[in-house]
PDB file of all heavy atoms in Angstrom:
ATOM      1  N   GLY A 108     108.944  94.747 115.242  1.00 96.00           N
ATOM      2  CA  GLY A 108     107.924  94.670 116.300  1.00 96.00           C
ATOM      3  C   GLY A 108     106.468  94.368 115.903  1.00 96.00           C
ATOM      4  O   GLY A 108     105.718  94.131 116.840  1.00 96.00           O
ATOM      5  N   LEU A 121     102.536  73.551 112.646  1.00 97.00           N
ATOM      6  CA  LEU A 121     101.994  72.273 113.039  1.00 97.00           C
ATOM      7  C   LEU A 121     101.707  71.354 111.802  1.00 97.00           C
ATOM      8  O   LEU A 121     101.994  70.117 111.738  1.00 97.00           O
ATOM      9  CB  LEU A 121     100.708  72.508 113.748  1.00 97.00           C
ATOM     10  CG  LEU A 121     100.785  72.985 115.164  1.00 97.00           C
ATOM     11  CD1 LEU A 121      99.459  73.399 115.664  1.00 97.00           C
ATOM     12  CD2 LEU A 121     101.297  71.888 116.097  1.00 97.00           C
ATOM     13  N   LEU A 221      87.476  89.829 116.736  1.00 91.00           N
ATOM     14  CA  LEU A 221      86.796  89.952 118.038  1.00 91.00           C
ATOM     15  C   LEU A 221      87.602  90.876 119.006  1.00 91.00           C
ATOM     16  O   LEU A 221      87.144  91.645 119.704  1.00 91.00           O
ATOM     17  CB  LEU A 221      86.683  88.541 118.700  1.00 91.00           C
ATOM     18  CG  LEU A 221      85.526  87.664 118.120  1.00 91.00           C
ATOM     19  CD1 LEU A 221      85.637  86.267 118.502  1.00 91.00           C
ATOM     20  CD2 LEU A 221      84.125  88.231 118.464  1.00 91.00           C
ATOM     21  N   GLU A 260      83.943  99.100 104.402  1.00 97.00           N
ATOM     22  CA  GLU A 260      83.408  99.117 105.738  1.00 97.00           C
ATOM     23  C   GLU A 260      84.450  98.573 106.744  1.00 97.00           C
ATOM     24  O   GLU A 260      84.621  99.172 107.816  1.00 97.00           O
ATOM     25  CB  GLU A 260      82.159  98.346 105.798  1.00 97.00           C
ATOM     26  CG  GLU A 260      81.611  98.376 107.199  1.00 97.00           C
ATOM     27  CD  GLU A 260      80.171  97.655 107.285  1.00 97.00           C
ATOM     28  OE1 GLU A 260      79.814  97.000 106.339  1.00 97.00           O
ATOM     29  OE2 GLU A 260      79.484  97.906 108.328  1.00 97.00           O
TER      30      GLU A 260
END
Side-chain angles (χ1 to χ4, degrees):
L121 287 167
L221 288 165
E260 180 172 18

